């Protein structure tokens, strides 16, 4: 289910399962820098995109399929923290009543280039394996069920089993990230292009950047503008020959 306003605030108090892949550099949609901006409260509120709304609407249907085909489940009301004391906290989409194993619902209806393998395997995107492992850490279970709604294939079940080495690496990465946040530091990764517009700006503040960085951005932008002008001029020249013709032939 979509996170409430209170849950979103709580997300800043620790690292969630969906944050871990970005911290490890395995999330193609978000960087560690993006996640740090969120934890420091430096992002404006995100307008819900169509794919996010679709995910929120479809999640109950995915979980209903899981209930019918895997077992009765319940939705935990609060985040579950790592029993071993790391800064990791998880909000499983659901938990099986019988086994207390977490269930993760995924809708992947638009083409994103990610690979989803055979039913019942763990052949799924790395970011989802990492998220499932974080759920297992917090729930103290060795299995996480992932049910994905995929094009053509519809509801597809996958099973991720705990990899202790990956679990240890996640705990270490999460704690290192949190120490960096508490010290006021920043990850080496750059912010993603989609997040830049959401960064809160302090009025009447100026920052000094190296000339090489500034000039590279300036020159790249100018090159793009120049290329657009050349393209427009070439198109106008072409259309001058076309006139009222319906099709174009080459001499």
């Amino acid at each position: 289910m979509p996170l409430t306003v209170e849950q979103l605030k709580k997300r800043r108090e620790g690292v969630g399962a969906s944050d871990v892949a970005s911290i490890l550099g395995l999330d193609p949609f978000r960087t560690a820098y993006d996640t740090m901006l969120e934890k420091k409260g430096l992002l404006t509120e995100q307008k819900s995109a169509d794919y996010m709304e679709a995910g929120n609407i479809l999640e109950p249907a995915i979980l209903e399929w899981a209930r019918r085909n895997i077992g009765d489940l319940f939705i935990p009301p609060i985040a579950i923290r790592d029993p071993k004391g790391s800064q990791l906290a998880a909000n499983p989409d659901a938990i099986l009543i019988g086994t207390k194993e977490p269930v993760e619902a995924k809708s992947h209806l638009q083409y994103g280039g990610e690979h989803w393998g055979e039913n019942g395997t763990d052949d799924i995107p790395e970011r989802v394996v990492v998220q499932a492992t974080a759920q297992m850490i917090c729930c103290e279970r060795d299995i996480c069920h992932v049910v994905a709604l995929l094009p053509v294939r519809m509801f597809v079940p996958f099973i991720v089993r705990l990899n202790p080495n990956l679990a240890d690496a996640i705990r270490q990465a999460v704690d290192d990230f949190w120490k960096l946040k508490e010290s006021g530091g920043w990850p080496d990764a750059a912010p993603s292009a989609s997040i830049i517009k959401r960064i809160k700006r302090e009025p009447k503040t100026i920052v000094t950047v190296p000339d090489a960085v500034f000039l590279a951005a300036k020159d790249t932008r100018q090159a793009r503008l120049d290329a657009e002008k050349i393209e427009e001029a070439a198109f106008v020249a072409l259309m001058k020959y076309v006139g009222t013709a319906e099709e174009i032939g080459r001499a």
Side-chain angles (χ1 to χ4, degrees), residues 34-70:
D34 298 344
T35 300
M36 186 65 80
L37 285 167
E38 178 192 342
K39 300 308 173 185
K40 291 186 176 184
L42 297 177
L43 294 178
T44 58
E45 185 175 351
Q46 183 178 18
K47 182 180 179 180
S48 181
D50 288 343
Y51 74 90
M52 296 173 64
E53 291 187 8
N56 291 335
I57 292 171
L58 292 169
E59 184 176 304
I62 298 171
L63 293 179
E64 175 60 20
W65 186 93
R67 184 189 68 77
R68 295 182 183 184
N69 292 273
I70 301 176

Side-chain angles (χ1 to χ4, degrees), residues 182-200:
E182 294 291 286
S183 68
W186 292 92
D188 292 334
S192 60
S194 62
I195 212 78
I196 291 175
K197 292 182 179 179
R198 292 182 54 208
I199 299 175
K200 295 178 180 178

Side-chain angles (χ1 to χ4, degrees), residues 53-123:
E53 291 187 8
N56 291 335
I57 292 171
L58 292 169
E59 184 176 304
I62 298 171
L63 293 179
E64 175 60 20
W65 186 93
R67 184 189 68 77
R68 295 182 183 184
N69 292 273
I70 301 176
D72 288 335
L73 45 79
F74 70 95
I75 299 173
I78 60 174
I80 304 171
R81 301 199 68 89
D82 178 8
K84 292 190 176 181
S86 76
Q87 290 295 329
L88 183 63
N91 285 97
D93 291 330
I95 293 177
L96 290 174
I97 293 176
T99 62
K100 304 299 187 293
E101 294 164 353
V103 178
E104 188 66 25
K106 294 294 181 187
S107 56
H108 193 78
L109 298 181
Q110 82 267 29
Y111 177 74
E114 290 189 307
H115 173 73
W116 296 80
E118 295 297 321
N119 299 24
T121 70
D122 63 356
D123 187 13

Side-chain angles (χ1 to χ4, degrees), residues 239 241-246:
M239 296 310 294
Y241 281 95
V242 172
T244 59
E246 183 178 5

